[in-house]
Amino acid sequence: KFLMEYDRMEFPDAVEELSSRVGLKVPYEGGGKRAPVEDSADLYTVLDACAKFYQRELGKSEKARAYFDARGLDAQTIERFGLGYAPDAWDGVKSALGTNPQRIALLEKSGMLTRGERGTPYDRFRDRVMFPIQDRRGRTIAFGGRILVEKSGEGSPVLDPGAQDARKNKDSGAKYLNSPETPLFHKGQQLFALWQVRQTHSKIPRLIVVEGYMDVIALFQNGVTQAVATLGTATTRDHAELLFRNCADVYFCFDGDRAGRGAAWKAVESVLPRMRDGRQAFFLFLPDGEDPDSLIRKEGQAGFEDRLKNATPLSDFFFAHLSIDVNLSSLDGKARLAEHARPLLTQIPDGAFR
């Protein structure tokens, strides 16, 4: 109970934490999926070491600090989110932490190193500002990296034996790059910054789901401390369960364009089976060319809060989306709407909302 209230852990996490301190292995009914992998402690250790390495490298990189300065981040926010920098080298993490074959294997298993056709391991993240992704116990389980300079493909001579392979890697020049799926990290089950939200609020008043790391961080720095982000994927049912387990009111914040509304509808499909009585979902669509980061800079916390107050309830968005191209002035049109809605409505748990 102390860990649940002081460290804001959920019951199973508190049991796992106490068990690990005294060397006990937690049994699970039917060998449930939460049973930790044998070397999970080593994976957590190596990922924590990577986070510290990137934080040290940020202090050495003028261009990475300049990027965060240009985005308006202060030192407290950078520390709060553990932001860092992956140096522009093929073996930054590998040289610093891959001290033996066992460590190399752990770095690969945790997604920090990758191999090309020649079989030479090299750093997955290079010349990127780094965003640690933490689980609900605050342990680093993965990273997101944003490229600093979008390269044209013509660059300096290739000196490293793994570099030729890396150049064939389609992700090497992507604007954002996340860790791959690992024993610790499943992107459809994790939310960026949920740990920070839980540390800030003893009782979370609401959760605001945005699309980018910087959107979350800018909102936090400007006083909106309930923001989380999906990790480069659409909202899943696991995300929906995680959101509602932490808070009854969830706001989805998307671009107002066609892609944004498509993402919002995917969120609707994911949350409907979780809409037990007392839970609410809202949708905030942003003006063209704006994101939460830019909006909170322009309008401040008060302006963003005003937009949240005018967010569209799930029920309104649900029927507005299904009514596109349906003539509701006729009985036939109303019947068509009912047919569209019925299979979705049956997914809602029994209760007043349904």
Side-chain angles (χ1 to χ4, degrees):
K1 184 176 178 183
F2 176 80
L3 285 180
M4 289 171 69
E5 294 187 359
Y6 185 77
D7 282 336
R8 303 188 180 96
M9 291 183 179
E10 293 180 14
F11 176 77
D13 298 321
V15 173
E16 282 188 352
E17 175 66 23
L18 291 171
S19 300
S20 67
R21 293 186 187 188
V22 293
L24 293 176
K25 187 173 181 180
V26 183
Y28 289 86
E29 292 181 359
K33 65 180 182 179
R34 280 179 55 85
V37 293
E38 290 301 319
D39 60 352
S40 61
D42 292 332
L43 289 174
Y44 289 124
T45 299
V46 79
L47 285 163
D48 182 63
C50 289
K52 288 183 169 63
F53 169 74
Y54 291 140
Q55 289 160 20
R56 290 194 300 271
E57 291 298 313
L58 177 61
K60 301 175 187 177
S61 172
E62 189 174 330
K63 65 179 179 179
R65 294 196 307 275
Y67 173 80
F68 287 134
D69 287 343
R71 301 300 294 263
L73 301 191
D74 57 32
Q76 182 182 1
T77 300
I78 289 172
E79 182 179 357
R80 178 185 224 167
F81 287 92
L83 306 183
Y85 171 66
D88 191 6
W90 303 104
D91 60 353
V93 162
K94 181 182 169 187
S95 295
L97 305 177
T99 52
N100 55 54
Q102 289 76 21
R103 292 280 279 189
I104 293 284
L106 282 170
L107 286 166
E108 283 194 77
K109 194 167 188 176
S110 63
M112 304 312 296
L113 298 182
T114 186
R115 290 178 185 261
E117 294 172 7
R118 300 185 181 193
T120 306
Y122 58 88
D123 285 16
R124 180 179 299 276
F125 299 99
R126 304 175 302 279
D127 197 22
R128 293 174 182 268
V129 287
M130 299 297 289
F131 303 85
I133 299 165
Q134 293 156 317
D135 67 8
R136 57 191 176 187
R137 289 167 61 181
R139 300 172 297 189
T140 301
I141 54 172
F143 291 89
R146 188 197 190 282
I147 205 164
L148 283 174
V149 179
E150 298 183 32
K151 299 173 182 175
S152 63
E154 297 297 326
S156 56
V158 177
L159 302 176
D160 186 274
Q164 294 283 7
D165 290 325
R167 290 204 167 187
K168 297 174 185 175
N169 180 350
K170 63 179 175 19
D171 289 327
S172 61
K175 184 176 179 181
Y176 279 97
L177 178 63
N178 285 337
S179 292
E181 299 277 309
T182 72
L184 301 184
F185 177 59
H186 305 285
K187 64 183 179 181
Q189 300 172 5
Q190 301 291 341
L191 293 165
F192 176 70
L194 182 59
W195 164 254
Q196 283 82 359
V197 174
R198 290 173 61 158
Q199 291 303 295
T200 305
H201 301 275
S202 56
K203 181 174 175 56
I204 301 171
R206 66 188 174 193
L207 282 170
I208 305 164
V209 183
V210 297
E211 295 187 84
Y213 301 116
M214 286 302 304
D215 293 325
V216 169
I217 293 169
L219 289 173
F220 258 83
Q221 183 166 294
N222 287 277
V224 181
T225 56
Q226 308 92 31
V228 296
T230 55
L231 299 160
T233 183
T235 306
T236 66
R237 293 194 176 191
D238 285 333
H239 286 145
E241 182 61 33
L242 187 56
L243 289 162
F244 282 123
R245 205 185 305 146
N246 281 277
C247 179
D249 292 348
V250 178
Y251 290 74
F252 293 92
C253 186
F254 293 107
D255 293 343
D257 60 12
R258 183 168 184 160
R261 289 183 177 272
W265 185 249
K266 288 184 182 298
V268 168
E269 294 176 323
S270 295
V271 303
L272 282 178
R274 305 290 187 265
M275 293 300 294
R276 295 197 292 272
D277 286 351
R279 294 178 171 182
Q280 297 185 94
F282 302 88
F283 293 84
L284 172 59
F285 295 103
L286 304 179
D288 287 347
E290 300 285 4
D291 55 31
D293 182 5
S294 63
L295 266 183
I296 195 116
R297 290 166 185 263
K298 290 179 181 178
E299 301 178 358
Q301 180 181 356
F304 196 81
E305 294 281 358
D306 285 342
R307 288 185 179 274
L308 289 172
K309 289 175 186 173
N310 295 312
T312 304
L314 183 151
S315 53
D316 288 355
F317 178 59
F318 178 89
F319 287 112
H321 182 88
L322 292 181
S323 300
I324 296 173
D325 299 328
V326 173
N327 179 11
L328 292 180
S329 64
S330 69
L331 281 174
D332 290 350
K334 291 175 182 177
R336 177 174 293 181
L337 173 62
E339 285 303 309
H340 288 171
R342 183 176 288 115
L344 294 163
L345 295 175
T346 58
Q347 298 178 28
I348 302 173
D350 287 336
F353 183 73
R354 178 173 174 176

